[in-house]
Amino acid sequence: MSPNPRDLHERLAEIVGPDHVDTDPGRMADLFPSTYPEAHLPLGIVRPDSADDVAAIVTAAGELGVSLYPISRGRNWGYGDACPTSDKAVVLDLGRMNRIRHIDEDLAYAVIEPGVTQGQLAQALEERGLWFDSTGAGPEASIVGNVMERGFGHTAYGDRIRTVSGMEVVLADGSRLRTGFGDVKGSAVGAVFPYGIGPYLDGMFTQSAFGIVTEMTIWLMPKPTHFAAAICQVRRDEDIFELIERLRPLRLDETLRNIVHIGNDLRLISGAMRYPYDRAEGQTPLPEGLRQSLRQELGVTPWSFSAALYGDAAQVRAAKAKLKRALRGLDCRLIFLDDRKLALARAVARMTAFLPLGRALNQKLDQAEPAVGLLKGKPSEAFLPGAYWRSRRPVPVDRALNPAQDGCGIIWVGPVLPATARDLEKFLDIAEPVFRAHGFDFLLTLSFVTARSLSAIMTITYDREEAGERDKARACHRELVEVTARAGYPVYRGHSQAMDLSGIGTGAFWTVVRRIKDALDPNRVIAPGRYDKGGMP
Ligand SMILES: Cc1cc2nc3c(=O)[nH]c(=O)nc-3n(C[C@H](O)[C@H](O)[C@H](O)COP(=O)(O)OP(=O)(O)OC[C@H]3O[C@@H](n4cnc5c(N)ncnc54)[C@H](O)[C@@H]3O)c2cc1C
């Protein structure tokens, strides 16, 4: 049963002040737009300023019989946005807790609150000789929220959960703990040795709704003396299989230390322009002839990848040579870019901007610079336009992009495969026809999050303003998750508006998960239903 809205408002306002609570049902739709075909709206939103506030809110929620859905910045676009798992929850927005508590330059780590954004940390690190790992979700996305979902970025620290060394967590009964050695009185090593002694709990608080993280220590990457981005365009569709076989050994032996991202042509085209409804004469998905023409016009090949080479001069030189050797015989164009080359190219482009060639070069650099920046942990808005591919609304130019607010339809589906040509072939045979059958374009990236696996991130982009498209997108999502899981490739991350598709099972693993949830949060105060089959007890 939901509490009386006035009691709820009063109780929360006592903790955070009236300016930081909103329980007006009439405002929820505007505050919680979604990229999913439909989404739960919360009972309200509360914005704490400290872990003490969070503890008090959790206690009050337990007493009022209401649940809380925590968000760090709520930019979980394509995975449920800021929307809760049920319409009986209050969103606990941790955005005000945005202090960078400490940056240690010698030991290369930062202690941050959940509301710290990628842009904020990047700026704080600018002059410090340290890089953090950035995702493609732009400067406004959080770091903590992304780690809670075991999201990944683009640098050598891209498998982000592996760079966490200690969390502060508020539990459903209002108590607090620090993981690892952070909980040992007088310990000097919580931030540098993640494992502590005894069970290693950090991972347990990700993808679980077992607690609310109010502080996290993340390791930073010392800026290497030398860096080069390797950008490669693969001209033959069928070479993708050989490419995987050739890149895997370089990930395994750490010649390529970062998460190598491979994208198909449609993923790149969708980042560079909107869906050409006129040229396609209203047809969807993109007709094959038009796809070929767009490849030519935009200089896009069937597959491309970006990788980063870090180290001293000799290490980067050796890695370049090894990568070149590995790709020998493939019909591809490999280039290496570094800051010096980019600056030189930009100077030439500026001087020749009055010529078509100069304008084209400027355009290419506008795309290349953010992609190279990401390999050095620089967040950018440049990747967000891809979310607008099938939308018919204009992309806003006078404010930060926000796909949910701008009415974009986007759903990510991310199964994981062993990094072999055989598995990739099987996966493509299964997944691509599902997109076609539902009228969507098969946008795909393949990321070596670990050296042995590929996260196959597929994007369903659709026009959310068309009821028919919403139905098709939902059906496509369900079918993709089901067929890939059946083939042995389950998704790595759940969608908050479709948790039934996240692979939560009934086996021994999920029984233990449920027992832990029962012990820590018997009344299901924290995000009921999020990675928790059955939701309310
Ligand atoms: C164009 C585009 C590119 C993208 N690129 C990437 C990418 O490269 N990598 C990637 O991983 N994602 C990517 N995303 C997806 C998504 O936008 C990001 O994962 C984003 O970081 C999530 O938003 P957030 O950080 O604000 O997290 P939030 O929305 O705040 O939270 C995400 C989830 O974590 C839980 N949570 C948040 N904070 C806490 C807390 N303190 N305690 C307990 N639970 C918490 C929430 O309940 C929620 O379920 C992309 C999206 C778009 C549209």
Side-chain angles (χ1 to χ4, degrees):
M1 203 180 68
S2 302
N4 176 324
R6 197 174 311 145
D7 291 349
L8 178 67
H9 192 282
E10 270 176 23
R11 188 73 196 274
L12 296 175
E14 272 168 25
I15 301 167
V16 293
D19 292 349
H20 301 297
V21 189
D22 194 341
T23 53
D24 180 348
R27 275 202 288 272
M28 293 304 128
D30 284 343
L31 287 174
F32 293 93
S34 182
T35 55
Y36 205 60
E38 70 288 311
H40 296 293
L41 290 180
L43 294 173
I45 178 167
V46 55
R47 301 188 180 91
D49 185 43
S50 64
D52 286 342
D53 284 356
V54 173
I57 292 168
V58 166
T59 307
E63 288 166 9
L64 289 163
V66 73
S67 64
L68 297 169
Y69 183 77
I71 57 171
S72 285
R73 295 305 296 196
R75 302 308 202 268
N76 205 13
W77 298 312
Y79 288 114
D81 316 288
C83 300
T85 36
S86 111
D87 48 14
K88 301 218 168 18
V90 171
V91 167
L92 180 73
D93 176 356
L94 301 158
R96 283 174 74 210
M97 295 174 60
N98 64 351
R99 288 155 284 237
I100 298 174
R101 294 240 176 100
H102 178 58
I103 294 176
D104 193 304
E105 295 192 29
D106 297 325
L107 293 166
Y109 68 81
V111 183
I112 56 170
E113 291 187 339
V116 171
T117 64
Q118 300 203 112
Q120 200 184 336
L121 188 57
Q123 199 176 11
L125 293 177
E126 216 156 74
E127 304 297 325
R128 296 193 197 234
L130 293 169
W131 292 345
F132 87 110
D133 175 75
S134 176
T135 69
E140 295 298 315
S142 80
I143 296 154
V144 171
N146 184 269
V147 170
M148 298 314 288
E149 284 298 283
R150 298 202 288 270
F152 55 88
H154 292 245
T155 67
Y157 284 36
D159 187 3
R160 289 174 145 202
I161 182 63
R162 296 187 66 183
T163 67
V164 171
S165 189
M167 302 172 177
E168 178 189 63
V169 189
V170 174
L171 299 178
D173 62 359
S175 63
R176 262 188 258 183
L177 82 148
R178 286 179 175 276
T179 59
F181 278 131
D183 210 43
V184 174
K185 215 168 174 197
S187 150
V189 290
V192 294
F193 186 87
Y195 315 113
I197 186 156
Y200 176 41
L201 298 186
D202 293 50
M204 194 183 98
F205 288 106
T206 64
Q207 295 197 357
S208 71
F210 288 160
I212 296 161
V213 171
T214 49
E215 186 189 286
M216 184 180 279
T217 299
I218 54 157
W219 288 344
L220 305 169
M221 180 175 167
K223 183 178 167 188
T225 55
H226 288 74
F227 159 85
I231 312 281
C232 183
Q233 293 192 297
V234 179
R235 296 192 185 93
R236 281 194 309 244
D237 215 344
E238 61 277 19
D239 279 354
I240 184 63
F241 305 111
E242 189 56 30
L243 182 69
I244 296 300
E245 292 298 315
R246 304 227 190 153
L247 290 178
R248 187 186 58 242
L250 302 190
R251 277 292 279 139
L252 281 166
D253 73 8
E254 299 188 351
T255 302
L256 301 176
R257 286 168 50 211
N258 80 313
I259 292 189
V260 177
H261 285 257
I262 304 166
N264 73 354
D265 57 341
L266 289 170
R267 184 66 195 270
L268 264 70
I269 291 169
S270 68
M273 61 181 286
R274 311 293 294 283
Y275 191 88
Y277 286 106
D278 284 349
R279 289 177 69 183
E281 295 172 350
Q283 264 187 70
T284 54
L286 202 64
E288 191 50 38
L290 186 50
R291 180 175 175 173
Q292 298 297 336
S293 307
L294 292 177
R295 274 186 187 172
Q296 291 247 310
E297 289 163 29
L298 298 168
V300 168
T301 49
W303 299 95
S304 323
F305 77 81
S306 72
L309 312 176
Y310 309 110
D312 59 25
Q315 284 169 323
V316 171
R317 212 173 24 249
K320 280 182 182 175
K322 208 163 165 183
L323 181 58
K324 273 194 214 161
R325 262 198 316 278
L327 297 179
R328 212 172 271 159
L330 286 186
D331 185 7
C332 65
R333 177 167 174 260
L334 173 67
I335 56 167
F336 296 105
L337 293 174
D338 54 32
D339 293 339
R340 202 180 52 84
K341 274 192 194 162
L342 282 171
L344 203 68
R346 188 57 93 178
V348 172
R350 282 209 187 97
M351 281 188 302
T352 55
F354 57 93
L355 296 170
L357 210 65
R359 279 195 294 275
L361 184 57
N362 262 319
Q363 243 171 23
K364 282 265 174 233
L365 286 167
D366 288 345
Q367 289 166 359
E369 279 168 353
V372 173
L374 212 49
L375 301 173
K376 302 192 289 181
K378 282 205 169 39
S380 165
E381 263 206 347
F383 311 101
L384 296 181
Y388 296 68
W389 167 242
R390 289 278 287 260
S391 164
R392 288 173 167 89
R393 280 204 216 170
V395 179
V397 285
D398 51 348
R399 59 166 172 79
L401 296 183
N402 183 324
Q405 211 175 315
D406 299 335
C408 299
I410 174 168
I411 306 170
W412 301 106
V413 188
V416 186
L417 346 166
T420 69
R422 197 179 51 247
D423 286 286
L424 180 60
E425 196 168 357
K426 182 170 151 193
F427 160 77
L428 289 176
D429 282 349
I430 292 167
E432 195 162 9
V434 178
F435 273 79
R436 223 174 304 121
H438 291 279
F440 299 116
D441 305 297
F442 186 51
L443 273 51
L444 174 71
T445 57
L446 299 164
S447 303
F448 275 94
V449 176
T450 72
R452 296 161 176 83
S453 69
L454 288 172
S455 294
I457 308 296
M458 300 178 276
T459 332
I460 305 170
T461 55
Y462 63 102
D463 186 348
R464 200 171 179 273
E465 267 144 36
E466 299 266 333
E469 290 234 335
R470 285 202 299 274
D471 291 343
K472 283 189 210 158
R474 205 185 300 104
C476 184
H477 182 198
R478 177 167 295 279
E479 193 175 339
L480 278 173
V481 172
E482 287 173 357
V483 296
T484 52
R486 257 202 310 276
Y489 313 131
V491 291
Y492 88 97
R493 176 169 172 178
H495 193 293
S496 76
Q497 304 309 303
M499 282 312 294
D500 58 319
L501 299 184
S502 62
I504 298 176
T506 50
F509 175 86
W510 286 103
T511 305
V512 171
V513 170
R514 198 169 166 78
R515 284 168 65 189
I516 299 172
K517 181 77 175 166
D518 286 345
L520 294 180
D521 186 8
N523 297 317
R524 299 299 193 266
V525 173
I526 302 173
R530 189 77 167 135
Y531 301 100
D532 173 22
K533 197 165 193 155
M536 305 297 279

